[in-house]
Amino acid sequence: MKLTENAAWAPFAARVFRALWIAQLVSNTGSWMQTVGAQWLLVGHSAATVTLVQTVSSLPVVLLALPSGVLADRFDRRKVLLVSQATMLTVATVLTVLAFQGALDPTRLLALTFLLGCGTAPMGPAWQAIQPELVAREQLGQAAALGAVNMNLARAVGPALGGAVVAAAGPGWVFAFNALSYLAIMAVLLTWHRTGTAQAPAAHREGLLAAAQAGRRYVWHAPGIRRILLRTALFIPGGAALWSLLPLVASRSLLLGSGGYGLLLGVVGVGAVGGAFALPAIRRRLSANATLAVGTVIFAAVLVVLATTQLPWLAATVLLPAGLAWISVLSTLNAAIQQRLPGWVRARGLAAYLVVFQGGQALTAPVWGVLADRLGLSASLVIGAVLLAGSAWSVRRWPLRPAEGIDPSPSDHWPVPPLVFQPGPADGPVLVSVTYRIAPQQWTAFTACMRRVARSRRRTGALTWGLYQDGRESGRFIENYVVASWSEHLAQHHSRLTATDRRYEEQARQMLLEGTVPEVVHAFDATAGPAVTLPTAGAEGGQRHPGASGGAAPRMP
């Protein structure tokens, strides 16, 4: 089959993507087999206990995703993935040994599942962040869909296989397969040699705390990213009802065993895989927001049917469109955030997405269990459907923002600032002042353009920002913003600005009076040392700032 550029399978033309996809399929299959084994070991306990499997699996991602995003942006993502896989292999081996010894009580099972989640947490941001290194940007949508296909193909095979193995030989063997499955990804990662990475160079890397703050600042000042997180937060609580309560639907409503439960999960996976084939056609006919709304309504309808039926064949039938709806919604959200994030902060931005996605599941899973115990299974499923209906309605009020014109590729277009001394990396804060002279008829349009520039400055490092109009000279505007340190400002210069940021600046500068250019001043904290005038030198070779780190006096030429 020829893999054309726009085909659903086009990313498979990339060798590393293809190899990692196959290895991930093996690992995901093992994870789903283990999920069935773990949940079925707890089916005899309360509904709240059963749903805790999802909570302890997701909670580590919520707690560790943001630090994991910092690690994945700051260190070699391939090595982060290898450490993550090795950690999960170790925990899964312990789980297997305890299962074969018959020593796996609910407390140990949930504790080890939590530790497996701790190994998964560093993997999520790093795995998502390497995708633009593996495929072209225009194929990120297909790559996201294929990632969802991978998970759901594993869901189609793993639960059915896991249920059969549990019924025939006991849960120890599914735990053993899961432990071995981590070796597949490790083997591919060990043979992959990264080239042309988009991570920040070592000279411009922040400390861990500063990197976390930079990631938070970027997300907060990126309206498009915030809207994606909002849409995720509105979908997940209702969507999590299916995954939390399906084991109880299988055992209590449909009177199925572990094999039957595995088959139900498999049906969802088959629907999702079919949905991946249909996604290109769906995207040609529906906008991203329409896809979200329609997919959410379908998922709500499935919950209503599961709440009212005791027929296994009907439940299985409606779970097919549930899989299609799930993959349509999540692929749309994942592709939207991948297309907006620049390389220097990609893992941290994706970590924020994973916190919302996994956090919604972790926090709501025990709630669904408690509701099922107190109100009944059917009432809980209907409540989930109502939440999803509200989420679908809210798409009109809070739609995804259009991504046209967003180009996150790096743009190193700022010149090296001419200084009379060379600041140290930790010197700061740094005040950057830019003066513009604008014709009166352009004042309104200029201030509107500068609002976009303001978000760009804040995303890339500015702690404060303001635009002021000179009270003595008509048409003279002064932009002031403060950056925490000189190294932060150099990061703005060389690694953080994008082509979109450059376009916003150019739009504002088109309104300058003819023959004028912006005047840029870099000012440093004068209280750090005495004011000393030195011969002019470039930032790369000038003298040291009198208040530079270490307190050394400037060296005169």
Side-chain angles (χ1 to χ4, degrees):
M1 178 176 61
K2 185 177 180 180
L3 300 178
T4 61
E5 183 176 338
N6 296 319
W9 305 99
F12 279 145
R15 182 186 62 82
V16 178
F17 179 90
R18 184 173 64 249
L20 282 172
W21 191 93
I22 294 171
Q24 187 188 29
L25 178 61
V26 175
S27 183
N28 283 339
T29 300
S31 297
W32 277 108
M33 291 175 66
Q34 169 160 312
T35 297
V36 170
Q39 288 182 322
W40 209 254
L41 278 174
L42 300 175
V43 160
H45 297 78
S46 68
T49 302
V50 175
T51 57
L52 280 177
V53 173
Q54 184 170 354
T55 299
V56 298
S57 299
S58 302
L59 189 58
V61 177
V62 179
L63 299 176
L64 301 176
L66 293 178
S68 298
V70 171
L71 292 175
D73 275 333
R74 205 166 178 274
F75 300 105
D76 188 329
R77 290 166 184 160
R78 170 180 164 274
K79 294 179 180 178
V80 171
L81 290 170
L82 280 169
V83 172
S84 175
Q85 293 296 310
T87 301
M88 290 187 287
L89 172 61
T90 302
V91 176
T93 301
V94 174
L95 190 60
T96 302
V97 171
L98 291 177
F100 279 123
Q101 291 178 344
L104 200 57
D105 57 32
T107 301
R108 289 177 177 175
L109 174 61
L110 293 173
L112 288 169
T113 303
F114 179 84
L115 291 177
L116 273 178
C118 292
T120 303
M123 181 178 175
W127 186 274
Q128 296 278 1
I130 65 172
Q131 301 306 304
E133 299 179 35
L134 306 179
V135 301
R137 183 172 183 266
E138 57 271 15
Q139 293 179 353
L140 284 174
Q142 293 106 303
L146 287 175
V149 167
N150 192 304
M151 175 60 74
N152 287 285
L153 188 58
R155 180 184 284 130
V157 176
L161 184 58
V165 172
V166 169
W173 290 102
V174 298
F175 298 149
F177 181 88
N178 183 52
L180 293 174
S181 70
Y182 295 119
L183 296 174
I185 293 180
M186 293 180 70
V188 177
L189 290 172
L190 287 170
T191 59
W192 174 37
H193 302 288
R194 298 176 73 202
T195 57
T197 66
Q199 290 178 250
H204 301 144
R205 289 179 187 168
E206 316 99 318
L208 294 177
L209 182 58
Q213 292 172 338
R216 177 201 58 79
R217 187 168 54 238
Y218 184 93
V219 170
W220 183 253
H221 294 290
I225 299 296
R226 292 205 315 270
R227 184 57 56 84
I228 294 168
L229 299 181
L230 174 62
R231 292 260 39 104
T232 305
L234 291 172
F235 173 75
I236 288 300
L242 176 66
W243 310 116
S244 301
L245 300 177
L246 192 57
L248 303 174
V249 171
S251 61
R252 298 181 184 180
S253 297
L254 306 179
L255 303 180
L256 299 174
S258 61
Y261 169 55
L263 287 173
L264 291 180
L265 281 175
V267 170
V268 181
V270 170
V273 172
F277 283 104
L279 272 177
I282 292 173
R283 287 176 174 146
R284 286 193 295 269
R285 291 169 174 80
L286 297 177
S287 66
N289 287 303
T291 301
L292 292 179
V294 172
T296 304
V297 168
I298 292 173
F299 215 77
V302 170
L303 292 185
V304 172
V305 174
L306 292 177
T308 57
T309 187
Q310 294 181 327
L311 301 175
W313 67 266
L314 180 57
T317 300
V318 298
L319 286 174
L320 278 170
L324 185 151
W326 182 261
I327 194 175
S328 298
V329 171
L330 294 192
S331 294
T332 299
L333 294 171
N334 190 281
I337 199 166
Q338 287 273 14
Q339 290 170 349
R340 287 178 174 273
L341 288 169
W344 71 272
V345 76
R346 184 178 298 124
R348 281 165 281 183
L350 288 165
Y353 169 74
L354 289 174
V355 165
V356 176
F357 176 71
Q358 297 283 10
Q361 297 186 81
L363 295 176
T364 58
V367 174
W368 292 122
V370 171
L371 288 176
D373 281 335
R374 296 187 177 182
L375 303 180
L377 189 55
S378 295
S380 301
L381 290 166
V382 170
I383 292 172
V386 171
L387 290 177
L388 287 171
S391 174
W393 174 84
S394 71
V395 172
R396 295 189 63 181
R397 177 66 179 83
W398 299 298
L400 293 179
R401 295 177 180 269
E404 291 78 8
I406 300 296
D407 183 356
S409 58
S411 177
D412 188 1
H413 60 276
W414 284 2
V416 175
L419 303 176
V420 297
F421 53 78
Q422 181 178 345
D427 285 357
V430 180
L431 170 66
V432 182
S433 182
V434 187
T435 301
Y436 308 85
R437 287 176 170 80
I438 308 297
Q441 64 271 20
Q442 297 281 15
W443 289 357
T444 301
F446 174 74
T447 55
C449 284
M450 289 301 289
R451 292 190 188 98
R452 291 192 292 268
V453 173
R455 287 194 290 268
S456 167
R457 305 288 198 233
R458 291 180 182 273
R459 282 195 299 269
T460 55
L463 301 177
T464 63
W465 182 92
L467 182 66
Y468 306 89
Q469 189 169 2
D470 194 330
R472 295 182 60 184
E473 181 179 339
S474 177
R476 183 172 181 263
F477 290 81
I478 304 167
E479 175 196 9
N480 286 337
Y481 63 94
V482 174
V483 185
S485 67
W486 183 241
S487 63
E488 282 273 301
H489 187 55
L490 288 181
Q492 283 185 309
H493 270 262
H494 301 301
S495 62
R496 293 184 179 176
L497 292 174
T498 67
T500 300
D501 298 320
R502 179 172 187 168
R503 188 176 75 251
Y504 291 159
E505 292 176 14
E506 290 173 347
Q507 288 171 351
R509 294 185 181 199
Q510 286 174 358
M511 302 174 194
L512 288 167
L513 282 172
E514 186 175 355
T516 66
V517 296
E519 301 167 8
V520 183
V521 174
H522 296 79
F524 296 80
D525 182 8
T527 64
V532 178
T533 301
L534 301 177
T536 301
E540 302 297 330
Q543 303 299 317
R544 192 161 175 79
H545 179 229
S549 302
R555 292 174 297 158
M556 302 302 294

PDB file of all heavy atoms in Angstrom, residues 301-318:
ATOM      1  N   ALA A 301     -24.958   9.149  24.388  1.00  0.00           N
ATOM      2  CA  ALA A 301     -26.019   8.208  24.018  1.00  0.00           C
ATOM      3  C   ALA A 301     -25.638   6.780  24.397  1.00  0.00           C
ATOM      4  O   ALA A 301     -26.497   5.984  24.835  1.00  0.00           O
ATOM      5  CB  ALA A 301     -26.300   8.310  22.519  1.00  0.00           C
ATOM      6  N   VAL A 302     -24.368   6.435  24.254  1.00  0.00           N
ATOM      7  CA  VAL A 302     -23.916   5.090  24.626  1.00  0.00           C
ATOM      8  C   VAL A 302     -24.121   4.844  26.116  1.00  0.00           C
ATOM      9  O   VAL A 302     -24.575   3.769  26.534  1.00  0.00           O
ATOM     10  CB  VAL A 302     -22.431   4.902  24.233  1.00  0.00           C
ATOM     11  CG1 VAL A 302     -21.879   3.611  24.820  1.00  0.00           C
ATOM     12  CG2 VAL A 302     -22.276   4.899  22.724  1.00  0.00           C
ATOM     13  N   LEU A 303     -23.797   5.835  26.939  1.00  0.00           N
ATOM     14  CA  LEU A 303     -23.989   5.669  28.381  1.00  0.00           C
ATOM     15  C   LEU A 303     -25.463   5.443  28.727  1.00  0.00           C
ATOM     16  O   LEU A 303     -25.785   4.649  29.620  1.00  0.00           O
ATOM     17  CB  LEU A 303     -23.461   6.900  29.128  1.00  0.00           C
ATOM     18  CG  LEU A 303     -21.948   7.131  29.109  1.00  0.00           C
ATOM     19  CD1 LEU A 303     -21.582   8.312  30.002  1.00  0.00           C
ATOM     20  CD2 LEU A 303     -21.188   5.894  29.553  1.00  0.00           C
ATOM     21  N   VAL A 304     -26.364   6.129  28.026  1.00  0.00           N
ATOM     22  CA  VAL A 304     -27.791   5.945  28.288  1.00  0.00           C
ATOM     23  C   VAL A 304     -28.217   4.518  27.959  1.00  0.00           C
ATOM     24  O   VAL A 304     -28.961   3.880  28.716  1.00  0.00           O
ATOM     25  CB  VAL A 304     -28.619   6.964  27.478  1.00  0.00           C
ATOM     26  CG1 VAL A 304     -30.116   6.650  27.581  1.00  0.00           C
ATOM     27  CG2 VAL A 304     -28.343   8.379  27.970  1.00  0.00           C
ATOM     28  N   VAL A 305     -27.733   3.984  26.843  1.00  0.00           N
ATOM     29  CA  VAL A 305     -28.088   2.610  26.466  1.00  0.00           C
ATOM     30  C   VAL A 305     -27.540   1.622  27.493  1.00  0.00           C
ATOM     31  O   VAL A 305     -28.242   0.697  27.930  1.00  0.00           O
ATOM     32  CB  VAL A 305     -27.561   2.280  25.055  1.00  0.00           C
ATOM     33  CG1 VAL A 305     -27.797   0.805  24.725  1.00  0.00           C
ATOM     34  CG2 VAL A 305     -28.233   3.166  24.021  1.00  0.00           C
ATOM     35  N   LEU A 306     -26.292   1.802  27.921  1.00  0.00           N
ATOM     36  CA  LEU A 306     -25.715   0.898  28.920  1.00  0.00           C
ATOM     37  C   LEU A 306     -26.466   0.972  30.250  1.00  0.00           C
ATOM     38  O   LEU A 306     -26.522  -0.015  30.990  1.00  0.00           O
ATOM     39  CB  LEU A 306     -24.237   1.242  29.146  1.00  0.00           C
ATOM     40  CG  LEU A 306     -23.290   0.973  27.978  1.00  0.00           C
ATOM     41  CD1 LEU A 306     -21.877   1.426  28.323  1.00  0.00           C
ATOM     42  CD2 LEU A 306     -23.282  -0.506  27.593  1.00  0.00           C
ATOM     43  N   ALA A 307     -27.051   2.125  30.549  1.00  0.00           N
ATOM     44  CA  ALA A 307     -27.803   2.277  31.789  1.00  0.00           C
ATOM     45  C   ALA A 307     -29.134   1.548  31.762  1.00  0.00           C
ATOM     46  O   ALA A 307     -29.702   1.253  32.825  1.00  0.00           O
ATOM     47  CB  ALA A 307     -28.039   3.762  32.072  1.00  0.00           C
ATOM     48  N   THR A 308     -29.634   1.237  30.571  1.00  0.00           N
ATOM     49  CA  THR A 308     -30.994   0.696  30.456  1.00  0.00           C
ATOM     50  C   THR A 308     -31.066  -0.713  29.902  1.00  0.00           C
ATOM     51  O   THR A 308     -32.163  -1.275  29.831  1.00  0.00           O
ATOM     52  CB  THR A 308     -31.837   1.626  29.559  1.00  0.00           C
ATOM     53  OG1 THR A 308     -31.198   1.767  28.276  1.00  0.00           O
ATOM     54  CG2 THR A 308     -31.987   3.002  30.189  1.00  0.00           C
ATOM     55  N   THR A 309     -29.946  -1.296  29.507  1.00  0.00           N
ATOM     56  CA  THR A 309     -30.008  -2.626  28.888  1.00  0.00           C
ATOM     57  C   THR A 309     -29.349  -3.684  29.764  1.00  0.00           C
ATOM     58  O   THR A 309     -28.438  -3.391  30.538  1.00  0.00           O
ATOM     59  CB  THR A 309     -29.337  -2.629  27.509  1.00  0.00           C
ATOM     60  OG1 THR A 309     -29.561  -3.906  26.877  1.00  0.00           O
ATOM     61  CG2 THR A 309     -27.829  -2.426  27.629  1.00  0.00           C
ATOM     62  N   GLN A 310     -29.855  -4.902  29.629  1.00  0.00           N
ATOM     63  CA  GLN A 310     -29.231  -6.079  30.241  1.00  0.00           C
ATOM     64  C   GLN A 310     -28.886  -7.119  29.188  1.00  0.00           C
ATOM     65  O   GLN A 310     -28.644  -8.277  29.510  1.00  0.00           O
ATOM     66  CB  GLN A 310     -30.179  -6.683  31.290  1.00  0.00           C
ATOM     67  CG  GLN A 310     -30.425  -5.775  32.478  1.00  0.00           C
ATOM     68  CD  GLN A 310     -31.350  -6.393  33.510  1.00  0.00           C
ATOM     69  OE1 GLN A 310     -32.262  -7.149  33.166  1.00  0.00           O
ATOM     70  NE2 GLN A 310     -31.114  -6.080  34.777  1.00  0.00           N
ATOM     71  N   LEU A 311     -28.850  -6.664  27.923  1.00  0.00           N
ATOM     72  CA  LEU A 311     -28.570  -7.555  26.800  1.00  0.00           C
ATOM     73  C   LEU A 311     -27.116  -7.397  26.373  1.00  0.00           C
ATOM     74  O   LEU A 311     -26.722  -6.321  25.900  1.00  0.00           O
ATOM     75  CB  LEU A 311     -29.492  -7.238  25.624  1.00  0.00           C
ATOM     76  CG  LEU A 311     -31.001  -7.339  25.898  1.00  0.00           C
ATOM     77  CD1 LEU A 311     -31.793  -6.871  24.677  1.00  0.00           C
ATOM     78  CD2 LEU A 311     -31.369  -8.781  26.250  1.00  0.00           C
ATOM     79  N   PRO A 312     -26.290  -8.425  26.529  1.00  0.00           N
ATOM     80  CA  PRO A 312     -24.880  -8.294  26.152  1.00  0.00           C
ATOM     81  C   PRO A 312     -24.674  -7.893  24.691  1.00  0.00           C
ATOM     82  O   PRO A 312     -23.786  -7.080  24.397  1.00  0.00           O
ATOM     83  CB  PRO A 312     -24.314  -9.689  26.437  1.00  0.00           C
ATOM     84  CG  PRO A 312     -25.204 -10.241  27.496  1.00  0.00           C
ATOM     85  CD  PRO A 312     -26.564  -9.724  27.185  1.00  0.00           C
ATOM     86  N   TRP A 313     -25.497  -8.445  23.783  1.00  0.00           N
ATOM     87  CA  TRP A 313     -25.290  -8.122  22.363  1.00  0.00           C
ATOM     88  C   TRP A 313     -25.580  -6.648  22.075  1.00  0.00           C
ATOM     89  O   TRP A 313     -24.895  -6.018  21.264  1.00  0.00           O
ATOM     90  CB  TRP A 313     -26.160  -9.016  21.472  1.00  0.00           C
ATOM     91  CG  TRP A 313     -27.646  -8.775  21.597  1.00  0.00           C
ATOM     92  CD1 TRP A 313     -28.523  -9.429  22.398  1.00  0.00           C
ATOM     93  CD2 TRP A 313     -28.409  -7.780  20.880  1.00  0.00           C
ATOM     94  NE1 TRP A 313     -29.799  -8.924  22.251  1.00  0.00           N
ATOM     95  CE2 TRP A 313     -29.754  -7.913  21.304  1.00  0.00           C
ATOM     96  CE3 TRP A 313     -28.090  -6.819  19.925  1.00  0.00           C
ATOM     97  CZ2 TRP A 313     -30.775  -7.118  20.823  1.00  0.00           C
ATOM     98  CZ3 TRP A 313     -29.117  -6.007  19.435  1.00  0.00           C
ATOM     99  CH2 TRP A 313     -30.447  -6.166  19.880  1.00  0.00           C
ATOM    100  N   LEU A 314     -26.571  -6.075  22.764  1.00  0.00           N
ATOM    101  CA  LEU A 314     -26.878  -4.661  22.551  1.00  0.00           C
ATOM    102  C   LEU A 314     -25.775  -3.776  23.145  1.00  0.00           C
ATOM    103  O   LEU A 314     -25.367  -2.775  22.536  1.00  0.00           O
ATOM    104  CB  LEU A 314     -28.225  -4.322  23.187  1.00  0.00           C
ATOM    105  CG  LEU A 314     -28.687  -2.860  23.050  1.00  0.00           C
ATOM    106  CD1 LEU A 314     -28.749  -2.454  21.571  1.00  0.00           C
ATOM    107  CD2 LEU A 314     -30.048  -2.658  23.718  1.00  0.00           C
ATOM    108  N   ALA A 315     -25.305  -4.159  24.322  1.00  0.00           N
ATOM    109  CA  ALA A 315     -24.209  -3.400  24.931  1.00  0.00           C
ATOM    110  C   ALA A 315     -22.981  -3.410  24.032  1.00  0.00           C
ATOM    111  O   ALA A 315     -22.330  -2.373  23.821  1.00  0.00           O
ATOM    112  CB  ALA A 315     -23.874  -3.980  26.300  1.00  0.00           C
ATOM    113  N   ALA A 316     -22.657  -4.586  23.493  1.00  0.00           N
ATOM    114  CA  ALA A 316     -21.497  -4.685  22.607  1.00  0.00           C
ATOM    115  C   ALA A 316     -21.690  -3.853  21.345  1.00  0.00           C
ATOM    116  O   ALA A 316     -20.755  -3.208  20.848  1.00  0.00           O
ATOM    117  CB  ALA A 316     -21.241  -6.149  22.252  1.00  0.00           C
ATOM    118  N   THR A 317     -22.911  -3.830  20.827  1.00  0.00           N
ATOM    119  CA  THR A 317     -23.187  -3.082  19.599  1.00  0.00           C
ATOM    120  C   THR A 317     -22.967  -1.587  19.793  1.00  0.00           C
ATOM    121  O   THR A 317     -22.349  -0.916  18.956  1.00  0.00           O
ATOM    122  CB  THR A 317     -24.635  -3.342  19.134  1.00  0.00           C
ATOM    123  OG1 THR A 317     -24.807  -4.740  18.886  1.00  0.00           O
ATOM    124  CG2 THR A 317     -24.945  -2.563  17.861  1.00  0.00           C
ATOM    125  N   VAL A 318     -23.451  -1.030  20.916  1.00  0.00           N
ATOM    126  CA  VAL A 318     -23.324   0.413  21.106  1.00  0.00           C
ATOM    127  C   VAL A 318     -21.904   0.811  21.509  1.00  0.00           C
ATOM    128  O   VAL A 318     -21.530   1.988  21.378  1.00  0.00           O
ATOM    129  CB  VAL A 318     -24.325   0.931  22.168  1.00  0.00           C
ATOM    130  CG1 VAL A 318     -25.750   0.675  21.718  1.00  0.00           C
ATOM    131  CG2 VAL A 318     -24.059   0.331  23.539  1.00  0.00           C
TER     132      VAL A 318
END
